[in-house]
Amino acid sequence: MGAWEEMKYGPLGEAVDKARDFSEGDPVGIYAAALSMWSAALAGSVVQPNGRPVVVWTAMVGRSKVGRKGFALATAQAAVGPSISKFLVGRTRKGITSGPALVTTLFEVVQETLVAEGGMDGRIMVIEDEWASTLRRANRDVSYHDQLIHAWDGSPLVNTIKGKKGRREEERVENPLLGFHGHIQPARWHRLIRPDDALGGVYNRILPVLVERQKNLPTGMSNPLSNVKESAALTRAYKWARAEPRVMQFSAAAAERHDNYRAELEDQLDELPETLSCLIERADEHVLRIACVLTAAERKAVVGVKAWEAARAFVDYSMASVRRLASEAETVGRRQAKPLPDVIRETLQRYGGEATSSVLLRAIGARANAAGIKAAVAEMDDVEMEVERTGQRGGPKINYRLVGPKPVEVGQPEPAPLPLVEVAVEPKRELATAAVERSEPVVVRVIESVIEPKPVKTKKVKKKAGKSKKAVASKPRLSVVAGSPEPGRPETKPTAARKASPKPPAPAQTLANPFLALL
């Protein structure tokens, strides 16, 4: 509770402090949501000394149910909502998942108010109570994060659309007035807050705070938030802020404190890794913005030291949350990281046991490059690489496939491969004899003919001593190979049946051929 007491300040802090008695939500989470809604309501009327916006973007990070994020948001709406009810009712949006959709939403609001009594008003408040679902879709859009950056900075937003008759038209928002608040679980934060987007600067414009349940209210207490009363001080402050433009200023003491703080922050950023520093490098401007909106709640235009100290306390709490989230993400990443060979096997299994090098690279991502995959596969017995040269422009096509491991009997050394020599032997004495005389072990494989032999016409001869000549059936062709045949190499096609010889071979010659004896 010490952190809450340090950041609580002015009418806004008092409104949240009174409302938390009827809530199970974390007071820091309630305060974060209240700051986002209050600053969005002041957008366009209250600005920093340099003219930049004062909108404060926040996110509650907590586990489902345990974090009580929804309860905290409802409490903030009960505390602040009555004072800015017209703004929240008509300007709250959600589910914006692309850069063009964000620009179009702001553009349409501006167009609707061009003829309004109060003049042009482009303020909207985006509340993403299921921010993870939004981020899954938004991360596919290359412009989403860039448009968020421009909106927080107050820079113009531009979107090109196809208008009537196919003409291209431009949607332009000169002064975007966007408030934002989101909810997400820590585990999803680790997965969806991508490092590359963080390095781009979008997430250092959002202040995340870790939240958890404050207490359990009695079960019999029905609709506890109905006891939250409207803050008269905030209602008067809102009217004061909207009455005319307010350019906030800092007292000399507050300005000096801020200059010292900024110097300290830059020294810290120099010592931190970029993956962490990129999330907190805008802490100094966050302090300025929060100090301005807290002071505006007092109906003052000069920020004092106490308001600045309270703003810094909230930002320090958020920066501590960022460090903890980054540390947890690093721990989770080390625990869940799989060896590269396992990732390669799983990817090949998903693609039916075979995939190209390009497919593997996309699936593995930043884990390895093409050379790293080749090196890993070279050490794997169950994956082989095949280089296919297509003869076209570019490099050869590289395929990877899963293969079964070679069976080796336990306790027996793996035999050395036999020479890859193949000899096609016809049933002739000299070739068969030459093969038998080889000193190397050979494997004899009989290839049966799959072609039905044509009937052999026999010549009519005179019968002599009860003997008759018969057609000699075609003999199967033999293929003698030294070692096993190469995988994928087509077998030798059998030849057509030979015509019968007028005289059958002598029995002695037949027995002299060792290959014919195997038939």
Side-chain angles (χ1 to χ4, degrees):
M1 208 54 70
W4 164 240
E5 294 297 333
E6 293 177 0
M7 67 181 69
K8 179 182 68 174
Y9 179 83
L12 188 63
E14 292 176 3
V16 171
D17 198 46
K18 291 179 180 178
R20 72 182 183 87
D21 293 336
F22 307 98
S23 175
E24 295 183 356
D26 193 311
V28 178
I30 301 172
Y31 202 39
L35 281 170
S36 292
M37 291 185 289
W38 177 249
S39 65
L42 302 183
S45 298
V46 179
V47 295
Q48 299 180 55
N50 57 9
R52 287 171 65 85
V54 295
V55 288
V56 179
W57 293 1
T58 62
M60 278 191 264
V61 185
R63 295 166 55 193
S64 296
K65 189 176 177 60
V66 177
R68 294 293 197 274
K69 300 183 294 294
F71 210 147
L73 174 61
T75 306
Q77 291 171 331
V80 180
S83 301
I84 55 175
S85 58
K86 292 183 179 180
F87 165 71
L88 287 180
V89 171
R91 302 299 181 88
T92 301
R93 302 288 189 273
K94 68 181 301 183
I96 299 176
T97 59
S98 70
L102 177 63
V103 178
T104 299
T105 301
L106 288 165
F107 180 79
E108 291 176 348
V109 171
V110 171
Q111 295 300 309
E112 291 171 359
T113 59
L114 285 177
V115 295
E117 183 178 354
M120 186 178 65
D121 184 3
R123 296 173 298 160
I124 66 170
M125 179 65 203
V126 176
I127 298 179
E128 298 290 357
D129 52 356
E130 292 295 338
W131 192 24
S133 300
T134 302
L135 279 177
R136 286 195 192 96
R137 300 190 295 271
N139 283 342
R140 304 170 190 165
D141 182 74
V142 295
S143 65
Y144 176 75
H145 299 95
D146 292 337
Q147 299 291 21
L148 281 179
I149 291 173
H150 296 326
W152 190 85
D153 292 343
S155 303
L157 303 180
V158 180
N159 183 36
T160 304
I161 62 172
K162 182 180 291 186
K164 297 179 180 179
K165 298 182 180 181
R167 297 178 180 176
R168 301 183 72 82
E169 298 180 357
E170 184 179 85
E171 295 178 333
R172 186 178 183 87
V173 182
E174 290 291 343
N175 184 27
L177 305 174
L178 176 65
F180 177 84
H181 176 73
H183 296 172
I184 194 171
Q185 294 81 15
R188 290 181 172 179
W189 171 280
H190 302 151
R191 294 198 302 267
L192 297 174
I193 305 301
R194 301 182 302 193
D196 188 59
D197 296 327
L199 290 171
V202 64
Y203 292 113
N204 59 39
R205 289 165 167 84
I206 302 174
L207 290 170
V209 291
L210 288 167
V211 296
E212 59 185 10
R213 180 185 62 246
Q214 176 188 204
K215 61 177 178 292
N216 286 324
L217 295 175
T219 304
M221 190 177 183
S222 61
N223 195 14
L225 295 180
S226 61
N227 298 309
V228 178
K229 305 300 181 182
E230 178 182 353
S231 172
L234 287 180
T235 302
R236 291 192 297 269
Y238 181 62
K239 292 179 180 179
W240 172 85
R242 297 292 297 172
E244 60 182 86
R246 308 288 181 178
V247 180
M248 306 300 290
Q249 301 295 330
F250 281 76
S251 67
E256 183 180 0
R257 293 283 185 94
H258 189 74
D259 290 340
N260 294 334
Y261 171 73
R262 187 169 57 182
E264 294 174 2
L265 176 65
E266 291 177 355
D267 291 340
Q268 293 178 15
L269 294 176
D270 291 339
E271 299 175 357
L272 294 175
E274 189 178 8
T275 54
L276 178 58
S277 65
C278 69
L279 295 170
I280 64 176
E281 59 191 9
R282 296 190 182 274
D284 57 331
E285 186 168 356
H286 285 301
V287 173
L288 290 178
R289 295 187 178 212
I290 296 175
C292 287
V293 299
L294 291 178
T295 303
E298 298 180 293
R299 292 180 290 166
K300 296 179 181 179
V302 178
V303 178
V305 173
K306 290 185 178 180
W308 185 89
E309 291 286 358
R312 176 180 175 175
F314 181 85
V315 173
D316 285 348
Y317 185 93
S318 176
M319 297 302 100
S321 298
V322 169
R323 292 172 184 269
R324 180 175 169 185
L325 287 169
S327 176
E328 291 176 356
E330 185 178 355
T331 303
V332 170
R334 287 197 302 264
R335 184 171 62 249
Q336 294 181 348
K338 293 183 179 180
L340 183 58
D342 292 346
V343 178
I344 293 175
R345 290 188 188 95
E346 293 177 0
T347 304
L348 291 176
Q349 290 172 357
R350 288 201 307 269
Y351 285 91
E354 183 173 353
T356 64
S357 176
S358 300
V359 171
L360 276 180
L361 284 172
R362 287 196 298 269
I364 293 174
R367 291 286 305 275
N369 55 15
I373 294 177
K374 289 181 180 180
V377 170
E379 303 295 330
M380 300 170 65
D381 295 333
D382 56 344
V383 178
E384 67 178 6
M385 182 184 74
E386 179 186 51
V387 180
E388 178 182 350
R389 301 189 182 277
T390 60
Q392 300 177 356
R393 292 183 178 181
K397 182 180 179 182
I398 300 178
N399 298 316
Y400 295 94
R401 65 172 59 90
L402 287 172
V403 295
K406 299 179 181 179
V408 178
E409 296 183 6
V410 179
Q412 297 293 331
E414 185 176 358
L418 296 175
L420 297 178
V421 178
E422 183 174 344
V423 180
V425 179
E426 299 292 343
K428 292 183 180 181
R429 176 185 179 89
E430 58 272 14
L431 294 178
T433 304
V436 170
E437 292 176 355
R438 292 173 59 91
S439 60
E440 300 175 13
V442 296
V443 178
V444 179
R445 180 160 50 90
V446 180
I447 304 175
E448 296 290 348
S449 174
V450 296
I451 302 176
E452 294 291 337
K454 296 180 180 180
V456 181
K457 295 181 180 180
T458 59
K459 296 182 179 180
K460 294 182 179 181
V461 295
K462 295 180 180 181
K463 296 181 179 180
K464 294 181 180 181
K467 295 182 180 179
S468 62
K469 294 185 178 181
K470 297 182 181 180
V472 179
S474 62
K475 293 180 172 52
R477 187 179 177 186
L478 302 182
S479 177
V480 181
V481 295
S484 302
E486 279 189 65
R489 181 170 179 176
E491 297 178 352
T492 306
K493 295 183 179 180
T495 58
R498 295 178 176 271
K499 293 182 179 181
S501 174
K503 294 182 180 181
Q509 294 178 355
T510 303
L511 294 176
N513 191 332
F515 294 94
L516 297 180
L518 296 174
L519 300 179

